[in-house]
Amino acid sequence: MTACAIEDEAAEAAGTGETVDPESDEPDGAEEAPDPAGGVAELPEPLGPAPGETVLPALTLTADGAYAARLTAARDPGTGTESARYAERWTLDGPEPYAVPLPLDRPEEAGSQVLPLADGRVLIRRRVADHHTFSLLYPTGPGTGELPLGAVERAELTLLPPAPDGVSAYALSTGTYSTGLWRVAGGACGPEHLADLPGRCSGGVWLDRAGRLLALDREPAGGGPVKAVAVDLGRGAEMTPLLQIAPDSDDRLLLADPDSGLLLIRSDAPGHDRLGWGVLGSCLPVRFPECLRLPDAAVTPFAVQPGQMLMPESCAVALRIDGAAGSWAGIWRPSGRRLHQLAAPEGWLAGSGSWSRDGVLRLPYANEETACAVALLTAPSDLESSADAAPAGCAQSGTQPSAAVTHPPVCRPVPLGQAPLMRRTASD
């Protein structure tokens, strides 16, 4: 499709004579995380999944945020130990959120995956010997109904994030030289093999509201850099390049907003792994904000404010921050160049949440006091400081603008604007 360029948000300082050590991962003004006891805390390696791993959050939401599902287990109040696992569906679009347990006569395995559908049913994938079975779970009065869909005989198979249509569900089975793409729900009859994609594919980001264009992170079968590709399900799973920041860089797509075209990217093109952003169809280069670079915490985007047509730089982005103090939330806008770190509610199912169109972040949580609840956080203005809301022990306030540093040496910029995705229609 096209290559794309990179640009540090502090590129304005390139002609000022300010320099940094290109090997250093420490942004200007970074501070060590304070220990609540008064000393300097020893921080572990940042948490989070391995790069490129296809991982669903602890609570998975439908694309419209109306339903969610998770695997959970009741706890013995006396001992605190967990009992048998079961699926649970959350309803989030009503006046008050509530959870419906979906237990069966057998416990679920820890490796099972659940996915909510727009009609309120929950898809579950189970590993049984050398194959994977799929069923739909739904409440039936006092019990749980189960509709078996079929099985796929593959060594490894994992569900992709919920499709935008709310009806279909897809999965990847990764082999040595190729990756199988399956529709495991929403098809004519049971799991359906759609295509074998060359290379080892992972990730999974939907690029449109129709559920036709799927972005995957692809590693060549013989080894080599990982590049995000677009798979067109309306053209027989036709695969085309999506990201190529530098020839030898690993360029992964983490999140995309179909309304504005905002893309959240992770790449090592600047010399080390960085979070960046770009706009699909834009002639501007990919940028790597310094404020998203915390020295002792992992930062992962999980939701973008919808409905911001033609205003990608105004979209609020929700981020999960994992550090020595645990997990908390972050809010950032490309135009603001400022990361607001906010304490998450107790029991937040980290990495899950959704935005309303008017900029309210909904964070689902469960704790000893409530089995199902949603905290509402309004995106602060970039003129406000949210340092007082950040949890104790976080790496830094994160509300400083991007540091003034020179951008790292990279390949000649080639704009994202040449990507043909924006020119396709549903009838193509």
Side-chain angles (χ1 to χ4, degrees):
M1 198 171 293
T2 183
C4 59
I6 73 172
E7 178 180 293
D8 198 291
E9 281 199 343
E12 304 95 299
T16 66
E18 299 180 46
T19 59
V20 294
D21 180 359
E23 298 300 321
S24 173
D25 288 343
E26 194 78 11
D28 288 355
E31 300 173 359
E32 292 179 320
D35 188 341
V40 174
E42 250 184 63
L43 298 177
E45 289 295 318
L47 307 174
E53 189 178 354
T54 302
V55 177
L56 295 176
L59 182 75
T60 304
L61 280 68
T62 54
D64 61 2
Y67 289 103
R70 67 167 179 162
L71 277 182
T72 188
R75 288 186 177 274
D76 187 303
T79 64
T81 58
E82 290 188 348
S83 59
R85 294 181 182 86
Y86 58 89
E88 184 178 72
R89 188 200 73 193
W90 289 31
T91 301
L92 303 175
D93 62 346
E96 190 170 327
Y98 63 92
V100 176
L102 298 172
L104 295 170
D105 56 1
R106 60 189 183 281
E108 303 294 350
E109 297 293 332
S112 300
Q113 288 181 296
V114 292
L115 205 71
L117 301 182
D119 60 5
R121 294 184 295 179
V122 173
L123 174 72
I124 184 166
R125 177 200 64 82
R126 303 183 180 101
R127 177 71 178 264
V128 181
D130 59 348
H131 60 278
H132 303 260
T133 65
F134 297 89
S135 295
L136 292 175
L137 306 180
Y138 52 93
T140 56
T144 300
E146 181 175 12
L147 175 63
L149 297 179
V152 174
E153 293 187 13
R154 288 293 186 274
E156 299 296 333
L157 188 139
T158 183
L159 290 174
L160 289 172
D165 64 7
V167 176
S168 305
Y170 297 86
L172 296 178
S173 60
T174 304
T176 305
Y177 302 105
S178 64
T179 300
L181 176 62
W182 298 78
R183 179 164 49 214
V184 296
C189 53
E192 175 187 2
H193 179 250
L194 299 180
D196 282 318
L197 307 174
R200 299 176 59 85
C201 297
S202 59
V205 176
W206 294 98
L207 298 174
D208 64 342
R209 295 289 182 196
R212 170 175 169 172
L213 297 174
L214 172 66
L216 297 172
D217 301 326
R218 175 184 175 271
E219 179 185 1
V226 177
K227 302 292 183 184
V229 297
V231 178
D232 191 337
L233 302 182
R235 292 188 172 185
E238 175 187 67
M239 179 186 289
T240 49
L242 182 63
L243 288 177
Q244 186 172 328
I245 299 177
D248 298 324
S249 61
D250 290 332
D251 308 322
R252 295 180 171 91
L253 182 63
L254 304 182
L255 209 58
D257 175 49
D259 295 335
S260 64
L262 180 65
L263 305 178
L264 278 300
I265 296 158
R266 186 180 298 279
S267 174
D268 60 4
H272 44 269
D273 238 19
R274 295 279 297 273
L275 275 181
W277 68 278
V279 179
L280 193 64
S282 170
C283 292
L284 296 176
V286 173
R287 301 189 179 193
F288 293 88
E290 198 70 27
C291 62
L292 298 183
R293 191 173 160 216
L294 302 185
D296 296 301
V299 181
T300 307
F302 64 86
V304 180
Q305 180 184 359
Q308 307 302 297
M309 303 293 288
L310 306 178
M311 296 189 298
E313 295 192 9
S314 300
C315 289
V317 179
L319 305 112
R320 168 181 174 170
I321 305 175
D322 296 299
S327 298
W328 60 97
I331 295 177
W332 164 83
R333 296 180 187 87
S335 60
R337 302 184 179 184
R338 191 176 292 266
L339 173 61
H340 302 272
Q341 298 188 47
L342 307 172
E346 180 186 354
W348 175 42
L349 296 161
S352 61
S354 63
W355 284 101
S356 68
R357 289 176 175 262
D358 54 357
V360 176
L361 177 60
R362 299 164 55 85
L363 296 182
Y365 67 96
N367 52 40
E368 293 182 358
E369 298 180 358
T370 178
C372 174
V374 174
L376 305 180
L377 300 180
T378 301
S381 164
D382 290 314
L383 300 177
E384 301 174 19
S385 172
S386 58
D388 55 345
C394 66
Q396 56 181 355
S397 72
T399 59
Q400 300 86 356
S402 301
V405 298
T406 56
H407 55 289
V410 294
C411 61
R412 175 179 294 275
V414 179
L416 271 172
Q418 298 172 8
L421 284 177
M422 300 299 287
R423 296 195 292 273
R424 287 190 176 174
T425 64
S427 61
D428 285 350

